Amino acid sequence: MATAIPVERETMRTLPSDTTRQIQWGFADRFDLQMLVQSARAVARGPVARLVANGGRNSHEWTEAKATLLEAFDNAGITAVFMEPEEGGLFSGPKNLALALVAFELAWVDGGAATASLAGCLALAPIHERGTPEQQRRYMKLAAPPQPGEDRKPWRGAFCLTEPIPYVGVDTGMLNGKLRIVEWKPGEDPALQVDKRGRFITNIGFANFVTAAVDSGDERIKGSCMVILEESDPGIFDRGTPTKKLVHQLSSTGDPVFNLRVPASRIIGGYDIKDGVLIPRYNHSEIIEAVFRRTRVTVGVMTAAKLLSAVEPVIRYQRGRFRGGETATPGSVRYELGLQARQDTLHRLADVWATGEASASLAFAAAHAFDQLDPLEKEMNHIYAERGIIGPKAKAKLLREAVDRAVALMQLPDDDSQKEALNSDLLLRFVALDSLADVLCPAAKLWNTGWGAQMMREAVSLMGGYGITEDCPGFLGNKWMDAQLEATYEGPEAVQRRQLSVTMTNPMFLAQVRGWIGEMRAIANDHPPTGACGLATTMTMWLWTLEHLQHTKDANGSKLYQSARQGVTFPLADALCWLVAARCQILDVLRLEREGSNDASVAEGLAGLVNFLSDLCHLQSARASGEVARICAELVFGYNRHPAWDAEGSKSCWQRDELDFLEGVIPGMNSYAFDVIDNDGSHPKKTGPCASCLSEEPFLALQRKLAGCLTGSRLAKDRAADAISKLMIPEALDYPA
């Protein structure tokens, strides 16, 4: 009988090209964004890389050399990304994906440079999201780079939310800064005195204006707000002491002090007067919610860029590790492959690469979601006005009704004509996309920066001792350290978990997750190498666990899923992040497979490229399944009390006499019996009888099914590792070491 000869599977030959990434991350049809990427890359791998290589990170002060980056940002159009064309910007429409791409390119080389660029956008974001038309016109134009022939310098901004220790980063609702009325002439704008001390404020070393969060210190002012401060305002505009950071040294950070007199027209969003009381139209929490909801995505992108940027330097280091030694002669395995002659280094690099792919896909998916959501939000404002809906309670009621209707429609068969309303009805489209964005944003910030920082440590360790040296190729040691700050920047991990614990229980989102399960099953049918089948089973397990915890109490009779019980809600939020990231990664690879053949530069090696990226999807999905299964098992069983050797616990045990009798009737019965109590009352030496899991049997069935779904995942990892060992890379990095 003839033995079948295995057909060699095509795999990736070179690192993914720019065109590949444009298709994969969904901007192949945006020539403007492609040009922006090239401009940002030229700055990152030119001025930024040279500054880092020349020791620019060795000082925490804002220096003249670092200041040259601001002009480079202006000349490349990076500063203008946030503005509309009439304000001096590059293009109209939503800017979330554009900002994410800029952050990705800059963070590929240095996180501090990316932060310096994005912090200016962060300062403008409160004005952009909630400012009055007059405020938007003034500050957007002032911050835009000068046009040809225009003799002026652009204004730089800083965002001042956090307070000095002990409040820094602990509770953004806790404000030390105060706002008081110092003069209020009849018929005129009140004059306000702002007293604010900031902590860890980015861009403060050169800021011309600050958007600061303050609370009322006057009975004639109601609540909190955000206010715009200018360096020329009467009073104290003290930039404070530079922060002695261990990371992000290419950005300016300090602890400023402000004591300024400003007109009330500087309150962001404006104000109303009622019964002699000044009432800001937006409190500071409403403003920062609108701001951070979008800007946190770019921080997640930064860590993704670090991981993917580590691949090429690690490959180069591993292959050249033994070259120059007497035993490593040209042509030998030791010379050609170096450390990659052993599987461990390749498997670990595959894990780093897979995490980078998943985190980039998650962050860019979030950016796309907000680009789609932004115009819908504007249309929703028209709906509110047309229907006379005023106030948060009335809006919430309308949205709840829309969610109920959308969920009901999603449960209909796909061929039901009523289901078309999900795409044609503006209100239904909005609640669906809004609920998704509410999860994608904190998930990208939490998972990318949290797990990403751990995987950056893995990448550095793959460089050996070289990884933590100043001249490490790709600046990997710097990136590892920078990732620690990104995990806390714009809200530490607990803040993201808290938000997810609320948004992930939205009925609209849960209905979408049920749709994802069917989606992954269909993908598994047509594209089994992606690992989508296991991901679908894990999503089912996560949903079952959430519903179980919402309706179950612990051994002491206390409700499990509740706001204060973060030992339950936070791990479940972590588990969801793994699932969302793996799904986004799979969808991006499928997009590449569908659309890649349309571009000649991608089509030639498309099959091998898709095969390799699919293997990365498979190993990432398997890792996600393992993490989620572990978390869910701990939550489902961990809050039950273990049985003891008492009267209650012994009810489920076999008695020796009873078992001996049954053995005579059913031979072999003894071999199936556990926890047998002997005639003298003795029992096995352990904590107690094995716990009964009858009420959790559906979970155990899912566990067994998931174990089978992991079939082939390690073969995928072997294939990915083998492909990495054969991958062609450029002779040298395209930026200095």
Side-chain angles (χ1 to χ4, degrees), residues 293-309:
R293 193 171 185 231
R294 289 160 172 79
T295 57
R296 282 174 174 151
V297 173
T298 53
V299 181
V301 167
M302 289 165 60
T303 313
K306 291 173 168 56
L307 288 166
L308 291 177
S309 75

Side-chain angles (χ1 to χ4, degrees), residues 474-493:
F475 312 130
L476 297 192
N478 294 342
K479 292 173 182 176
W480 173 36
M481 294 179 66
D482 285 349
Q484 314 306 313
L485 175 60
E486 287 150 24
T488 60
Y489 193 58
E490 290 197 31
E493 292 165 325

Side-chain angles (χ1 to χ4, degrees), residues 4 34 53 68 171 253 310 314 421 600 603 609 617 648 712 724 729:
Q34 295 166 24
T68 61
D171 186 353
T253 309
V314 170
L609 181 62
C617 286
E648 182 64 28
I724 291 172
I729 60 173

Side-chain angles (χ1 to χ4, degrees), residues 554-618:
D554 67 12
N556 298 316
S558 299
K559 184 179 178 181
L560 283 173
Y561 200 96
Q562 55 177 303
S563 175
R565 200 139 195 190
Q566 296 167 355
V568 175
T569 60
F570 281 16
L572 208 55
D574 287 333
L576 176 62
C577 292
W578 283 94
L579 299 175
V580 174
R583 173 181 178 267
C584 291
Q585 182 184 7
I586 291 173
L587 295 181
D588 278 354
V589 172
L590 294 183
R591 182 192 294 117
L592 177 63
E593 185 177 29
R594 284 194 313 272
E595 303 176 11
S597 58
N598 298 329
D599 189 291
S601 65
V602 177
E604 183 181 355
L606 181 61
L609 181 62
V610 169
N611 284 341
F612 175 77
L613 293 177
S614 294
D615 284 337
L616 291 188
C617 286
H618 202 161

Side-chain angles (χ1 to χ4, degrees), residues 237-423:
F237 191 103
D238 187 344
R239 301 178 191 279
T241 305
T243 304
K244 297 181 179 180
K245 296 179 294 183
L246 297 174
V247 296
H248 281 212
Q249 290 93 342
L250 294 194
S251 62
S252 166
T253 309
D255 303 340
V257 177
F258 306 108
N259 193 292
L260 300 166
R261 179 168 172 151
V262 302
S265 59
R266 297 276 191 82
I267 294 175
I268 295 177
Y271 63 91
D272 298 306
I273 304 294
K274 185 176 181 180
D275 298 328
V277 176
L278 187 154
I279 306 173
R281 290 175 186 152
Y282 300 102
N283 63 43
H284 87 284
S285 296
E286 292 172 319
I287 294 175
I288 64 173
E289 180 183 358
V291 170
F292 282 179
R293 193 171 185 231
R294 289 160 172 79
T295 57
R296 282 174 174 151
V297 173
T298 53
V299 181
V301 167
M302 289 165 60
T303 313
K306 291 173 168 56
L307 288 166
L308 291 177
S309 75
V311 171
E312 184 183 339
V314 170
I315 292 175
R316 181 172 288 105
Y317 168 80
Q318 289 178 339
R319 291 185 186 170
R321 180 66 179 85
F322 301 122
R323 292 176 187 176
E326 293 182 2
T327 59
T329 56
S332 67
V333 173
R334 190 174 178 84
Y335 182 90
E336 298 298 333
L337 292 180
L339 293 171
Q340 290 193 347
R342 295 291 179 263
Q343 195 178 64
D344 173 64
T345 57
L346 293 168
H347 272 204
R348 291 164 65 194
L349 180 55
D351 284 333
V352 172
W353 196 335
T355 303
E357 294 288 341
S359 56
S361 292
L362 172 55
F364 286 125
H368 276 292
F370 282 113
D371 272 358
Q372 297 170 39
L373 187 62
D374 283 354
L376 290 183
E377 285 185 334
K378 292 181 174 62
E379 293 185 59
M380 285 298 298
N381 289 332
H382 294 310
I383 289 180
Y384 294 143
E386 290 172 0
R387 300 188 184 184
I389 297 174
I390 301 172
K393 290 185 178 180
K395 292 177 181 178
K397 181 182 178 182
L398 176 67
L399 296 180
R400 278 196 303 272
E401 293 171 351
V403 165
D404 292 341
R405 185 180 165 213
V407 170
L409 289 174
M410 292 183 74
Q411 295 171 348
L412 296 175
D414 290 338
D415 57 356
D416 194 307
S417 59
Q418 296 182 72
K419 208 165 185 177
E420 176 56 30
L422 288 168
N423 297 319

Side-chain angles (χ1 to χ4, degrees), residues 174-218:
M174 198 134 184
L175 296 176
N176 234 10
K178 296 300 179 184
L179 187 68
R180 299 176 179 84
I181 296 174
V182 292
E183 187 177 15
W184 194 349
K185 295 181 180 178
E188 295 185 8
D189 211 21
L192 309 175
Q193 189 71 28
V194 179
D195 184 10
K196 172 80 173 178
R197 299 173 67 91
R199 171 72 174 171
F200 215 81
I201 306 304
T202 307
N203 279 12
I204 195 58
F206 51 83
N208 306 103
F209 71 95
V210 171
T211 48
V214 291
D215 202 0
S216 172
D218 190 318

Side-chain angles (χ1 to χ4, degrees), residues 631-643:
I631 292 170
C632 290
E634 289 180 3
L635 294 175
V636 169
F637 299 106
Y639 287 98
N640 297 335
R641 181 173 286 112
H642 197 287

